[in-house]
Amino acid sequence: MNSTSPITEREIFRIIGLSESDLLKVDDPESVWIVYAFEQGTERPIAAFTGFMHAFDLASRLNAFVENGIGIQPVPGTVTNIKVDRYRQLTEVGMTPFLIRLKSHGNMVEVIDGVASNLDEISLENNISGFVSNVQFRKNVGWEFELMGTFWASSRRLAISKARTFASMVSELQNRTPGLLERKLLFAAHS
């Protein structure tokens, strides 16, 4: 006999920070639904959606593993300072933003029970291009790296797989031959 009762819809809404008055705004075309980490508060939302269900789906998926919880809140559409519906397609197909730490030492990949302040997926172009082309960084730090970023995937296993592929790409850059300008700078630095 199962002694635990199922969680009611009202309890679910309370868990993600919704009040009765918030629920009255579900069909309000003037409202935008922000998703935020309880730690950061509503002032620092991580996503915003025009539709309640997109915000609810993302918050529900994140609440499965984010330690301090994720909430949603309706706000007037004119007050949002982040791009609305930026992650809509990703949430519609069931993707989740996993926060992962990558370390070159030991090829470590660690899923963090949290959420980044920016849900954009980590990329070579946006997140590490400055490091790769920075000769001083390469000279001082070498190719040991520790990066943390978001990887969107349908499961934790697939997010880890994407993160390992990304770490491999970064590691492969160490075999890249420095260009003529970099060689001159490295030679000048060692003289």
Side-chain angles (χ1 to χ4, degrees):
M1 184 164 145
N2 189 355
S3 61
T4 59
S5 60
I7 296 177
T8 66
E9 192 174 87
R10 180 173 293 218
E11 289 169 325
I12 291 171
F13 291 147
R14 187 186 48 76
I15 289 169
I16 60 172
L18 290 175
S19 67
E20 295 288 329
S21 63
D22 292 335
L23 292 173
L24 296 174
K25 297 179 181 175
V26 167
D27 294 322
D28 180 11
E30 302 295 317
S31 292
V32 169
W33 293 88
I34 59 169
V35 179
Y36 64 97
F38 284 131
E39 271 181 4
Q40 303 296 322
T42 56
E43 302 81 40
R44 302 212 30 223
I46 57 173
F49 298 96
T50 53
F52 167 78
M53 283 311 295
H54 291 101
F56 181 77
D57 286 346
L58 181 59
S60 297
R61 279 191 228 123
L62 288 170
N63 271 321
F65 60 87
V66 171
E67 203 165 294
N68 293 319
I70 299 292
I72 64 175
Q73 201 70 204
V75 297
T78 56
V79 225
T80 58
N81 57 355
I82 63 173
K83 185 175 177 186
V84 178
D85 289 331
R86 181 180 191 127
Y87 309 109
R88 183 178 177 167
Q89 286 183 314
L90 291 166
T91 58
E92 282 178 343
V93 296
M95 303 289 258
T96 302
F98 292 93
L99 182 60
I100 298 180
R101 178 180 293 128
L102 308 165
K103 291 183 182 180
S104 60
H105 184 67
N107 294 323
M108 188 180 131
V109 174
E110 174 188 14
V111 180
I112 308 296
D113 289 337
V115 65
S117 58
N118 178 345
L119 296 185
D120 291 344
E121 191 162 271
I122 192 170
S123 71
L124 291 174
E125 300 83 23
N126 298 330
N127 300 91
I128 69 162
S129 63
F131 296 141
V132 171
S133 62
N134 186 330
V135 175
Q136 191 64 33
F137 173 83
R138 290 172 62 184
K139 185 178 137 214
N140 293 341
V141 180
W143 281 98
E144 295 294 317
F145 62 84
E146 181 176 333
L147 301 169
M148 189 161 47
T150 299
F151 291 90
W152 284 83
S154 57
S155 70
R156 181 180 287 256
R157 183 181 58 76
L158 289 174
I160 291 169
S161 177
K162 283 177 78 173
R164 284 198 171 119
T165 300
F166 182 79
S168 294
M169 289 189 310
V170 173
S171 293
E172 284 297 314
L173 292 174
Q174 71 184 340
N175 299 325
R176 191 188 90 170
T177 307
L180 181 61
L181 177 63
E182 290 173 318
R183 278 191 232 131
K184 285 181 182 178
L185 289 172
L186 285 171
F187 179 73
H190 292 291
S191 302

